[in-house]
Amino acid sequence: MRMALRFIVPLLLVLAGIAWATTPILSDLIQRWFRADVELRAQLVFDSINDTVAREVKESDGPRIDLLFQRITRDERLLALGLCAPNGRLTHRSPSWPKTLGCPPRALRVPAFTVAARGDGTVLTAAFPLGEDGNDLGDLVIVHDLSFSERRGATLERYLTVFLALLGVLIAGVTVAVALVMRRNWVQAVRKGLAPVVAGDAPERTPEPAIAGLVAEMREMLRDLDVPRGISEAIRVDWNPDTLQNLLKSELPGAEVIVVSNREPYIHNREGDTIHVQRPASGLVTALEPITRACGGTWIAHGSGSADAETVDRQDHIQVPPEAPAYTLRRVWLSDEEQEGYYYGLANEGLWPLCHIVFVRPTFRASDWEQYVAVNRKFAEAVVAEAKSPNPLVLVQDYHFALLPQMVRERLPGATIITFWHIPWPNPEVFGICPWREEILQGLLGSTILGFHTQFHCLNFLDSVDRFLECRIDREQSTARTGGRTTLVRPYPISIEWPPSALVGQPSVPECRAKVRRDYELDPNVLLAVGVERFDYTKGIADRFRAVENLLEHHPEWIGRFTLLQIAAPTRSSLPAYRQTQAEAEAVATGVNQRFGRPGWWPIALVARHHEPEQVFTLFRAADLCLVSSLHDGMNLVAKEFVAARDDDDGVLVLSSFAGVSRELLEALIVNPYDSSAMGEAMHRALLMPREQRRDRMHLMRALVAEHNIYFWAGRMLLEAARLRKRQRIQDQIVQVTAPFTWRRGGGSR
Ligand code: F6P
């Protein structure tokens, strides 16, 4: 429609201009024709009455002249007749002679024609010399009414205008019809030309000569974007920081990377006179930090450390990692009130239990929501402020920022926004209890790509969108389209860096075994299980203690020969559910220790404090088995870190079936953490597993983590983003090329 107007309106304007310019000329021409016609008529009248009038004049028969004039002027167009004497006096006239009209200028040998105004119209006076043989009898004046010719001229003008208008519409209609046919043929030709590439196996066809060049170019670009090829290449590649950097350079040249997360990768804390740098116990940070180190750019996060403010510059920037700066950390400051409502309230008392479904009731408060909206806006503003280009690559992390993608999209429409949801996504029934479900879904759909750990969570998300929003879902392509924009919803199982930097400088496995047993005052001969987490109710810490109890109860041979060393970093401790979790775990551990402990040996060693990654890796290397008993977990990177730490191909992983990682590490002993008796049996099996089997299992798991490392995780998303950017560019070009033929309804999207 827009194009039709774009074409038809100028055409009509041109035709109107033509009508406006030509109508007066034509009208003048017509008037002249009429006047010539009237002059001819006057001549005819004169020729037919000349002799009679001359005779009557010679005979001086005035009454007969008057009578003759009266009879002749019955013709409606012949207005009046008069006789002007040689002295210029009007001697005879028909009764219709206009009162204001005198004798016109004299006709000397030839007739004299004059146009004169009369009342509401004009008249033509034609003066003919009367008499012969040099005998001057004066002039016979014939007066014709010209107003009828004016009326006819006006009528003609009207008809002409209507005619031109109809002609204009006709031309426009025919032109549009021709354009439509041409456009259809053109698009068919392009499609035909591109068909072999899009269809993959279809035989090559020769494109229409007119579009051969364009088709060749587009084919080449689309070949580059061929998805299966891209992914298979991704699988073959040895993914490391260099591959990622090269990928950025070649596929996303000049792209500016901005990471947004709540948790910062480096926390500066003051202890007395010294400032300590801490790396938080966060799967998110573990995964994202090596990537940002490789890609450079800016990481925007909440400055939560007690010395954070004193270590930044005036733009709230600090270059990190401290030992070898590779990217900028931009800290955002939150008030206690904001922190309370956004982080503790909506994020951790609302969304966290909502998404994990571990039977802790989510709490939703309107005041928390207000803070959540405000903080999302604050971070979105920070993204806009940090962006140096109109189309940065924004990597949004986690459930703290569900609204931020849409907020950034509004301010930077050209941005490529990749959002990753690090926790599970529940089914629509569960998600539906959130009072702000529509806002959260809309916010996330501001993303270009939305990633989850598993296909199951992607499907849950699409089902939720389907249930609560007006949206077009394509399950085959795994996309959701709303407001003229499409979001790709894909599983990207997160991972860890390979080889892990925490492994560098680690003592040998026997040394680690000895060191850990020494450091934690354990019997040097016990078989050791380790658990490493934040003190979170989703981790099933008390459940694994119960499993230890079951193990010792059903297999007492392990009493005095086995210990579980549980490291638990206190987290979100101001929330009642977290305090209860810690209290419950401590109570269960105490109970088991009281029941089975002996002087110099206890089955459970619970250490509730933060450990740096290197310390954790030493623990993993010292252990015979690692317990991951999450009641529900998006992925769980502890399992992958344990595998990464075991370069001796030893150790057994006991893994919850409710952690996303259980879909990848199939060689672990998979357990149901709600069934502590079965978990106890799995531990028994793990402790007895022969060395060869341990090696085979660990070998396979290490191969998987090595290949599907964190660079692979990021690389796949970046490749996808690059593909979408290129597709968008091609689409923009197609729109430009086809624009003159296209009736477009909506805008494009990125
Ligand atoms: O699983 C979600 C997550 O963001 C993890 O990445 C991380 O382990 C944890 O939550 C961090 O929680 P917080 O930042 O609240 O300590």
Side-chain angles (χ1 to χ4, degrees), residues 76-228:
E76 64 169 37
R77 270 176 281 169
L78 184 59
L79 189 64
L81 274 177
L83 187 62
C84 292
N87 61 3
R89 201 169 54 83
L90 185 66
T91 52
H92 294 279
R93 55 186 173 140
S94 65
S96 54
W97 185 271
K99 283 195 184 86
T100 52
L101 196 64
C103 278
R106 289 241 29 211
L108 301 168
R109 280 202 297 278
V110 286
F113 297 101
T114 317
V115 176
R118 182 200 63 113
D120 55 349
T122 49
V123 292
L124 177 85
T125 58
F128 294 91
L130 203 59
E132 48 199 14
D133 311 330
N135 190 7
D136 184 7
L137 298 177
D139 286 349
L140 177 65
V141 181
I142 303 172
V143 183
H144 269 95
D145 183 5
L146 276 186
S147 62
F148 82 95
S149 84
E150 282 160 5
R151 277 198 304 279
R152 281 191 182 178
T155 310
L156 211 89
E157 254 177 52
R158 274 200 301 280
Y159 279 123
L160 198 66
T161 309
V162 171
F163 171 73
L164 280 173
L166 287 176
L167 188 69
V169 170
L170 191 72
I171 293 175
V174 170
T175 314
V176 167
V178 170
L180 268 178
V181 172
M182 277 174 64
R183 171 186 168 269
R184 210 189 49 203
N185 292 348
W186 193 92
V187 171
Q188 274 172 358
V190 173
R191 280 210 189 115
K192 222 161 79 185
L194 293 173
V197 177
V198 176
D201 295 325
E204 287 281 330
R205 273 179 250 159
T206 315
E208 305 287 330
I211 49 120
L214 179 67
V215 164
E217 208 173 301
M218 285 180 173
R219 272 183 182 181
E220 199 173 316
M221 291 168 95
L222 287 173
R223 254 186 220 121
D224 282 352
L225 298 176
D226 189 294
V227 189

Side-chain angles (χ1 to χ4, degrees), residues 630-658:
S630 309
L631 302 178
H632 200 181
D633 223 330
M635 172 54 66
N636 192 294
L637 293 183
V638 168
K640 289 189 175 178
E641 285 181 320
F642 173 64
V643 166
R646 300 313 298 259
D647 53 3
D648 62 337
D649 276 348
D650 208 347
V652 181
L653 177 63
V654 177
L655 178 59
S656 162
S657 61
F658 304 127

